[in-house]
């Protein structure tokens, strides 16, 4: 069940799906660039240290910040492509349409979970921003990493909600992908 939700509405790639796909691809691309940048800094630091020029100050902090910031930027694309692990032991024998509806209900519950996580991350963002917490060596504000986390989980909630709703109301929420 890793294929995108497809409905037989006669449309090819609805505007809503194309828009979400573009936003999710962009989010994942930014996450990938951030991770690539962290890998570049570590490589440069190791080479620099090996050649006797010293390591990049706070490189481990940069890697921590980069990984924390970019991790949730990949989640919306994974949600759109239905790439999350699904255990369908009990539903694999159910007829197609019923199975699709059961999956849609679970997708809507997943959306609620994503929304809850996004909300709690936002609360954490507000709190850590008010504390003014910074990293030890670079003195970089820690709250920065919460911004993409809130964005990624919030977008995942929207994607999951629209995917789930598209099964019950395909004309209102056309999420066709061909």
């Amino acid at each position: 069940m890793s294929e995108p939700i497809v409905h037989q509405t006669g449309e090819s790639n609805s505007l809503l799906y194309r828009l979400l796909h573009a936003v999710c691809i962009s989010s994942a691309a930014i996450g990938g660039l951030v991770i690539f940048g962290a890998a570049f800094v570590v490589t440069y630091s190791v080479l620099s240290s090996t050649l006797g020029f010293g390591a990049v100050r706070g490189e481990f902090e940069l890697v921590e910040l980069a990984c924390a910031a970019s991790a949730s930027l990949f989640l919306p694309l994974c949600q759109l492509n239905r790439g999350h692990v699904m255990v369908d032991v009990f539903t694999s024998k159910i007829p197609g349409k019923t199975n699709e509806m059961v999956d849609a209900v679970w997708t809507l519950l997943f959306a609620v979970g994503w929304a809850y996580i996004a909300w709690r991350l936002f609360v954490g963002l507000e709190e850590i921003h008010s504390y003014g917490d910074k990293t030890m060596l670079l003195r970089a504000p820690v709250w920065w990493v919460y911004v993409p986390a809130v964005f990624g989980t919030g977008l995942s909630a929207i994607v999951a909600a629209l995917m789930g709703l598209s099964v019950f109301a395909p004309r209102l929420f056309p999420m066709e992908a061909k």
Side-chain angles (χ1 to χ4, degrees), residues 100-169:
E100 186 179 5
M101 291 203 158
V102 169
D103 284 349
V105 168
W106 282 110
T107 302
L108 289 170
L109 289 172
F110 218 54
V112 171
W114 282 129
Y116 179 77
I117 292 169
W119 168 57
R120 296 309 303 164
L121 281 167
F122 184 75
V123 170
L125 166 65
E126 288 178 323
E127 288 181 9
I128 204 146
H129 184 269
S130 69
Y131 296 154
D133 198 15
K134 296 183 180 193
T135 62
M136 188 168 61
L137 294 176
L138 298 176
R139 308 299 300 155
V142 176
W143 68 268
W144 289 354
V145 299
Y146 280 76
V147 173
V150 170
F151 174 79
T153 54
L155 182 57
S156 294
I158 292 168
V159 169
L162 291 173
M163 288 174 69
L165 292 171
S166 71
V167 172
F168 298 109

Side-chain angles (χ1 to χ4, degrees), residues 4-14 17-18 166 173-178:
I5 292 179
V6 178
H7 299 290
Q8 303 304 322
T9 59
E11 298 176 36
S12 63
N13 287 337
S14 70
Y17 178 83
R18 288 194 320 261
S166 71
F173 305 102
M175 292 289 290
E176 186 169 321
K178 290 186 179 182

